[in-house]
Amino acid sequence: MLRSGGLSPTDPLAARRRGSARLATALAGALALLAYLSRSSDPAAQPVRQRGPLPLGAALALTGNANLYGQDQRMGISLAQGWLHNRPHHRAVELQLEDGASDEPSAIAAFNLLIRRGVIALIGPTLSQQAFAADPIAQRRGVPVVAASNTAKGIPQIGAFISRVSAQSSVIAPLSIDEALRREPGTRRVAVFFAQDDAYSTAETAIFQKVLAARGLTPVSIQRTQLADNDFQNPITAALQQRPQLVVISAQAVDGGNLIRQLRELGYRGQIVVGNGLNTPNIYPICQRWCDGVLIAQAYSPELNTPINRSFRSLFAEANNGRVPGQIAAQAWTAYQVLFEAIQRLQARGGFSGVTLAEARWRLLQELLSGRYNTPLGPIHFRADGEVVQGRFYVAQVRMDGTGRNGRFTLVRERELPEAKP
Amino acid sequence: MIEALLQTLLNGAASGGVYALVALGYTLIFSVLGVINFAQGALFSLGGYLTYLFLGGKIGVNGALPGWGLPVGLPFWLALLVAALGSGAVGLLVERIAFAPLRRRGAEPLLSLITSLGAGVVLVNLLQLLMGAEGYAFPQGAAGLAHLPESLLIGGARIRTIQVLLLAISALAVAGLSLWLENSRSGKAMRAVAEDATTATLLGINSVAVVRLAFLLSGMLAGLGGGLIGMSVSLAGPYFGISYGLKGLAVLVLGGLGSVPGAIVGGLVMGLAEALIPAEASGWRDALAFAILFAVLVLRPSGLLGRRQLEKV
Amino acid sequence: MIDNGLLVQMILGALLGLSVYLPMAAGQLSLATPAFYAVGGTLAALLSTQGDTPSAISLGAVLGEMLLAAGLTAALALLVGLPVLRLRGIYLAISTIALVEIVRVAILNLPFTGGATGIFGIPQPFQQPLGYVLFSGSLLALAGWLCQRLEASRLGRSMAAIRDDELASRCMGIHTTRVKLTAFVASAMLAGVTGVVAAHYLNTWNARQGSFDVAITTLAFVILGGSRSWLGPVIGGLLLTALPELLRPVGDLRLVLFGLVILLGPVFFPQGLITPALLERLGRWKP
């Protein structure tokens, strides 16, 4: 290999180097051309379409680890789409759904793609971490975003264009603890579990622990788990050695469901309070009969008896073999609904006539934030910074049926919360 | 105090047994080919889903055919066996597509890391298309344990009955495999190829057949592991096998690449080390496996029980 | 189909591919790139979000972060490289995977890195994606130019000799440990610097950015592009990063197709797309 005299024109090494130099130059040229061709295809400066359906974008996790939520969201949005389309409206809306996958670069790519296609507003992305990556881009381009499932702290604060319909855990979490303490006032020993690699669960457990501290309870054991864990023998036996009377869990559906099942199998008989990540019927097949009796605070209750929630429930059941919808689907429906209704109001007032897309997006944002909405979540509206203000929260208890494979969240308590202060 | 110690030992054995099972799948292939099959984690997932389907489970709402299920409802043991065979067959297919063409062309063995990973990506995503991303749990009492208590108290330490069972089956499988490697004709052939493929071929051993056998067996081990884990916990989406695959990789190296007893000891050591982590540090647990691995590699590159060997030149 | 945002991601992919390529040019299969990428990204995220964060940051500050990241990753690589580079082949690969996992868990657990949510609100040096294209493009051009120079240099020839036969090269008087370590450190610095750019581009940084998946994807860049020339990983990185986006029209099947490309690519192109023979023909070609 180490032949000397690499100067002869027939030398393969020299030819190879010349070849790489040529290829590199060609590549640089190609990249420059690509950059030039795709420099700015932002249609924001063009006039907004006057007739025909208005394009609305959604970037959801249809692949990757988060796609369990993405699939539920797709279901919620498509039900809302069908339902709203069949009701009298001023302007049709055309949904453009893209896979935002479960990682940050894909969410950015999906947002860029949809913005370039000239959508009036965006729904998504699925994970809070993805929102911190993709939302700033929509903010800079002036595209309103309604987050359907981002519950981390600081999402609406990314910018004026960012809002959400997914209430933060700080509002909900304390209710279920209080319910557990009301049922067993003598509770002294509390064990806490949380999925430490999940943004939602870590935020939620901080609130749970704050509430516990405020009630004078110091956890006897705090166990950190991972989202991908499914064997909890270690943390459970460690916690049970402290003989807890109450277990508080912040996790997602599958890991949380497994945790509940194994807690019971390993002999824990006390009360279990779980966070909002487990507020989905997806837990029933996982923890089966062991789910029974678990307390949960909910941002959405399928038991809410309003016309719109009844419609949502029956449509969802129709499309899903009689299944009961969960919070993720309800919030996705709501995200679509609030945008749709804001578009109708703006259209009725002639707000879309003779303006650029950029101006139309800005007007839609104002309209969105100023409205009040009657949704499956109950009545909601937005704070000026885009944070959702939701009046009603619920404490429910899981009741499993005789087969141990199906159950329901029975409403224990319904709370009207005073408007959260900024 | 003694109770706590016993509990730690039990916990370590319970998770260590599974790690050993996963690592053994890698070991068989590594010993004959000197490469790692990154599709192993996906085969693990496949085994879980196949067991679920053969138990008579139905596909969930997010799958391609919601509500569809196989027209059979086998007893757990049979379902597990059929699923293991199914995973073994897919393991053979992976060998056919991702390994054999490279070997025939004498390509760099490194390439099979990528092709096998590609096979894993395809497999996991096909599973997701078919079954959806939701979690599945096997029907209660499928393993015929309904009349047993949910957990056993052994000297003050508690363990779930299903995990005892899981450990017993893993131990049986491992023991069976070792005996077979030690005594049977094809087992001896496999060891001969692992020792020195060229000499083995000169001695008239059909090394291609041995390689296929290794893929079949390691696919079956993965399938068995997936089915057992599915019984013990649940199937947490098509990606669930991947994290076991990664942990198994650490165990594989810890025990010594290509060493069967090494994989077992490595699995147990890993399980025990994880069980020893105090609650305050439980967030660091996943790093521990790799920190141990790192230390072992740097201090004793041949693994705990691996042979010290000079690089083949 | 390709917009400037995707172009940035493609260029970042090419840079990471180069980072995996460098040790491989000296015959070392190191998968440590995501670990150093994560260190660089975390450093940039931490430094640029100190105090009351403005939404913009000067280019000079970003260059400063890159310099710091290069220094930090070089020091880390020296520390880790010495023991690790004694390992061969698959042992080296797995020990570097271990490193990636350790760094990931550390970023998740350390008290100042934002836990699972990570660090967000990272200020922007450019208002338009085009700025990122030019900036990361220049970085790639610089890295490519250095690699091109390297191939003809003494160091580059030593690396190639070690790759062909380590024992023989040692006999020829090549200081193998030093050469391997140099390649490893250069790879780490490139990954760290890329992490800085990526952190700003992504607006946020968390532990998930440097994972086992990234290790494998970046390895695929090199294998599919070709590991015998620096252009291989560059082209592999550009193409494979763009591929999932270009496959969007096939919908739910796109990851299956992506997997098929990774599965069948090496079977049909065992040497990758860019082979020495191809470059030689290009070099001899006279218009």
Side-chain angles (χ1 to χ4, degrees):
Chain A
M1 282 308 285
L2 285 177
R3 246 170 297 155
S4 54
L7 292 170
S8 120
T10 53
D11 181 71
L13 284 181
R16 216 177 283 170
R17 287 201 64 213
R18 201 163 48 237
S20 355
R22 283 176 179 174
L23 185 56
T25 318
L27 192 64
L31 284 179
L33 185 69
L34 258 180
Y36 176 76
L37 287 179
S38 57
R39 60 202 178 283
S40 178
S41 31
D42 193 350
Q46 290 161 15
V48 70
R49 255 195 271 171
Q50 288 309 305
R51 72 194 73 226
L54 211 51
L56 175 67
L60 306 175
L62 303 179
T63 54
N65 287 325
N67 81 337
L68 182 54
Y69 312 112
Q71 288 178 344
D72 260 11
Q73 290 183 305
R74 169 155 64 178
M75 176 62 70
I77 287 184
S78 73
L79 291 178
Q81 196 189 359
W83 187 71
L84 289 162
H85 187 78
N86 289 330
R87 293 163 59 93
H89 57 270
H90 303 283
R91 184 77 188 257
V93 171
E94 172 207 0
L95 178 72
Q96 301 204 357
L97 182 64
E98 282 297 330
D99 179 14
S102 308
D103 58 322
E104 288 75 3
S106 298
I108 290 183
F111 263 37
N112 273 331
L113 179 67
L114 290 165
I115 293 173
R116 209 166 64 239
R117 284 197 200 141
V119 296
I120 187 85
L122 286 161
I123 298 174
T126 300
L127 297 174
S128 291
Q129 290 107 318
Q130 293 180 299
F132 285 125
D135 286 357
I137 287 172
Q139 169 67 26
R140 272 174 246 148
R141 310 276 287 272
V143 185
V145 176
V146 176
S149 54
N150 307 148
T151 45
K153 198 176 156 192
I155 297 279
Q157 287 72 33
I158 292 173
F161 282 89
I162 317 298
S163 57
R164 66 171 153 201
V165 295
S166 39
Q168 263 200 94
S169 36
S170 55
V171 200
I172 324 168
L175 302 180
S176 48
I177 299 261
D178 287 342
E179 178 66 25
L181 294 180
R182 201 184 55 80
R183 292 173 175 219
E184 284 183 22
T187 303
R188 280 285 150 267
R189 307 178 68 83
V190 186
V192 175
F193 288 77
F194 70 97
Q196 67 140 4
D197 58 342
D198 178 37
Y200 180 75
S201 299
T202 47
E204 190 186 64
T205 198
I207 296 165
F208 270 142
Q209 292 181 35
K210 219 160 85 185
V211 177
L212 288 174
R215 309 289 182 271
L217 298 166
T218 327
V220 291
S221 174
I222 298 176
Q223 297 288 334
R224 293 163 178 80
T225 62
Q226 314 279 326
L227 280 182
D229 282 352
N230 36 39
D231 184 343
F232 297 97
Q233 170 92 10
N234 278 332
I236 291 175
T237 50
L240 291 190
Q241 274 166 7
Q242 303 299 324
R243 293 184 316 282
Q245 299 158 301
L246 170 66
V247 168
V248 179
I249 298 173
S250 293
Q252 295 293 338
V254 176
D255 56 326
N258 271 318
L259 185 51
I260 294 172
R261 168 183 168 182
Q262 291 169 34
L263 264 169
R264 292 299 188 208
E265 285 185 330
L266 283 164
Y268 175 69
R269 294 285 166 263
Q271 295 195 87
I272 298 179
V273 165
V274 300
N276 222 240
L278 282 93
N279 186 18
T280 155
N282 291 330
I283 66 168
Y284 304 146
I286 308 290
C287 54
Q288 307 180 23
R289 65 188 157 89
W290 297 280
C291 303
D292 201 67
V294 165
L295 281 173
I296 183 168
Q298 303 174 307
Y300 166 71
S301 167
E303 313 262 307
L304 177 64
N305 198 4
T306 60
I308 189 164
N309 190 44
R310 282 199 302 271
S311 306
F312 172 52
R313 266 194 72 152
S314 70
L315 284 171
F316 192 92
E318 218 171 281
N320 288 289
N321 295 327
R323 222 163 51 116
V324 177
Q327 177 170 316
I328 297 276
Q331 287 172 333
W333 164 299
T334 302
Y336 185 88
Q337 186 196 339
V338 294
L339 279 168
F340 186 90
E341 289 182 1
I343 288 171
Q344 301 314 318
R345 289 199 306 269
L346 197 56
Q347 176 75 26
R349 287 211 327 261
F352 289 119
S353 45
V355 294
T356 61
L357 180 55
E359 174 65 20
R361 284 168 171 167
W362 172 249
R363 289 186 179 182
L364 177 60
L365 174 74
Q366 303 308 318
E367 189 63 50
L368 175 77
L369 295 184
S370 63
R372 288 181 172 266
Y373 306 87
N374 183 16
T375 72
L377 304 177
I380 64 167
H381 62 274
F382 293 97
R383 238 164 47 183
D385 66 352
E387 184 69 86
V388 66
V389 179
Q390 183 175 345
R392 255 180 236 158
F393 294 97
Y394 318 87
V395 180
Q397 188 166 32
V398 180
R399 282 286 166 233
M400 299 302 290
D401 67 9
T403 66
R405 298 191 65 83
N406 260 309
R408 50 189 286 246
F409 291 108
T410 52
L411 209 55
V412 174
R413 202 159 281 263
E414 189 177 322
R415 289 277 183 90
E416 295 280 344
L417 282 190
E419 190 161 321
K421 297 212 164 47
Chain B
M1 189 57 220
I2 294 199
E3 279 172 25
L5 189 68
L6 191 65
Q7 183 73 61
T8 307
L9 282 174
L10 269 183
N11 292 355
S15 45
V18 178
Y19 296 159
L21 205 59
V22 183
L24 268 181
Y26 289 114
T27 299
L28 282 178
I29 293 173
F30 188 88
S31 65
V32 293
L33 277 185
V35 294
I36 285 174
N37 178 15
F38 269 133
Q40 203 69 18
L43 290 174
F44 201 78
S45 295
L46 178 69
Y49 282 95
L50 284 178
T51 312
Y52 173 79
L53 285 176
F54 280 111
L55 278 170
K58 301 273 181 281
I59 296 179
V61 286
N62 291 319
L65 302 163
W68 184 86
L70 289 176
V72 292
L74 300 179
F76 179 66
W77 310 106
L78 214 52
L80 195 59
L81 188 70
V82 177
L85 284 171
S87 296
V90 176
L92 272 179
L93 195 66
V94 169
E95 193 269 343
R96 260 317 198 8
I97 299 172
F99 288 84
L102 294 176
R103 241 186 8 261
R104 272 202 303 277
R105 297 179 187 205
E108 270 189 76
L110 163 69
L111 291 183
S112 59
L113 286 185
I114 297 297
T115 51
S116 63
L117 188 92
V121 171
V122 171
L123 205 54
V124 163
N125 282 288
L126 282 177
L127 271 179
Q128 178 158 317
L129 279 183
L130 181 66
M131 304 291 296
E134 56 249 67
Y136 288 96
F138 296 172
Q140 282 168 35
L145 296 177
H147 52 281
L148 291 176
E150 288 167 345
S151 60
L152 304 174
L153 205 57
I154 304 171
R158 211 167 249 292
I159 187 165
R160 294 189 301 138
T161 315
I162 186 76
Q163 281 196 303
V164 178
L165 185 76
L166 201 159
L167 197 58
I169 299 179
S170 321
L172 272 178
V174 169
L177 186 72
S178 308
L179 277 176
W180 176 83
L181 274 175
E182 218 43 60
N183 300 314
S184 77
R185 247 184 94 80
S186 33
K188 283 177 182 161
M190 188 173 284
R191 282 192 299 137
V193 173
E195 199 69 41
D196 187 340
T198 327
T199 319
T201 315
L202 288 177
L203 289 172
I205 292 173
N206 180 352
S207 65
V208 175
V210 167
V211 167
R212 290 204 184 131
L213 191 60
F215 273 90
L216 176 71
L217 281 176
S218 82
M220 286 177 67
L221 278 179
L224 184 70
L228 285 173
I229 289 291
M231 187 69 229
S232 164
V233 286
S234 64
L235 309 177
Y239 292 85
F240 96 98
I242 305 296
S243 49
Y244 280 97
L246 199 59
K247 197 63 76 62
L249 206 60
V251 170
L252 169 77
V253 181
L254 182 62
L257 284 169
S259 150
V260 172
I264 300 165
V265 173
L268 292 179
V269 167
M270 192 73 85
L272 209 61
E274 289 188 356
L276 280 169
I277 296 190
E280 307 80 62
S282 50
W284 293 85
R285 198 195 58 217
D286 279 2
L288 179 80
F290 291 97
I292 296 177
L293 164 75
F294 201 76
V296 167
L297 270 179
V298 169
L299 297 175
R300 191 182 152 81
S302 49
L304 290 179
L305 293 189
R307 284 164 299 176
R308 259 187 197 282
Q309 61 177 181
L310 284 172
E311 197 193 6
K312 284 177 198 158
V313 183
Chain C
M1 274 315 286
I2 293 180
D3 66 356
N4 275 341
L6 180 57
L7 204 54
V8 179
Q9 291 181 12
M10 289 162 62
I11 294 174
L12 294 177
L15 284 164
L16 289 180
L18 270 184
S19 163
V20 180
Y21 163 78
L22 280 170
M24 211 181 277
Q28 307 304 306
L29 176 56
S30 158
L31 297 177
T33 292
F36 298 114
Y37 175 64
V39 169
T42 308
L43 184 78
L46 280 175
L47 288 179
S48 61
T49 52
Q50 290 305 316
D52 43 42
T53 10
S55 63
I57 185 172
S58 71
L59 196 55
V62 175
L63 286 170
E65 285 165 15
M66 288 165 76
L67 215 60
L68 271 175
L72 182 63
T73 47
L76 270 175
L78 273 176
L79 206 72
V80 176
L82 268 177
V84 162
L85 287 171
R86 292 186 308 162
L87 302 169
R88 304 267 155 81
I90 201 76
Y91 287 97
L92 175 63
I94 294 178
S95 69
T96 47
I97 290 177
L99 185 69
V100 171
E101 278 295 296
I102 292 170
V103 169
R104 183 185 70 81
V105 175
I107 293 177
L108 194 58
N109 279 283
L110 288 174
F112 49 85
T113 46
T117 314
I119 300 163
F120 53 88
I122 298 179
Q124 298 298 307
F126 309 109
Q127 283 315 301
Q128 293 294 326
L130 187 63
Y132 279 104
V133 173
L134 294 176
F135 188 65
S136 54
S138 324
L139 190 61
L140 180 62
L142 177 69
W145 180 71
L146 286 174
C147 285
Q148 176 79 4
R149 293 282 308 257
L150 180 73
E151 278 178 13
S153 74
R154 205 183 129 83
L155 176 64
R157 286 199 307 268
S158 307
M159 284 164 62
I162 296 176
R163 178 182 188 155
D164 283 339
D165 191 335
E166 183 161 350
L167 265 176
S169 64
R170 202 178 299 154
C171 298
M172 288 178 344
I174 294 176
H175 196 318
T176 54
T177 311
R178 191 186 297 161
V179 172
K180 288 195 287 187
L181 197 60
T182 311
F184 189 68
V185 169
S187 149
M189 289 165 69
L190 187 56
V193 166
T194 309
V196 172
V197 184
H200 286 283
Y201 174 72
L202 289 178
N203 304 300
T204 178
W205 196 263
N206 54 51
R208 310 193 305 159
Q209 302 311 316
S211 63
F212 172 69
D213 291 357
V214 183
I216 297 302
T217 332
T218 47
L219 179 62
F221 295 167
V222 186
I223 301 293
L224 281 181
S227 63
R228 288 280 162 183
S229 149
W230 66 270
L231 275 161
V234 169
I235 288 176
L238 292 171
L239 290 183
L240 278 188
T241 314
L243 190 62
E245 291 304 317
L246 299 180
L247 284 176
R248 275 190 184 274
V250 301
D252 286 351
L253 269 174
R254 72 191 184 115
L255 282 185
V256 176
L257 286 183
F258 182 71
L260 276 177
V261 170
I262 300 180
L263 167 60
L264 297 178
V267 173
F268 291 111
F269 303 97
Q271 288 196 302
L273 293 173
I274 310 298
T275 62
L278 177 78
L279 290 175
E280 221 172 293
R281 247 185 314 186
L282 252 175
R284 289 188 200 288
W285 183 64
K286 293 210 174 64

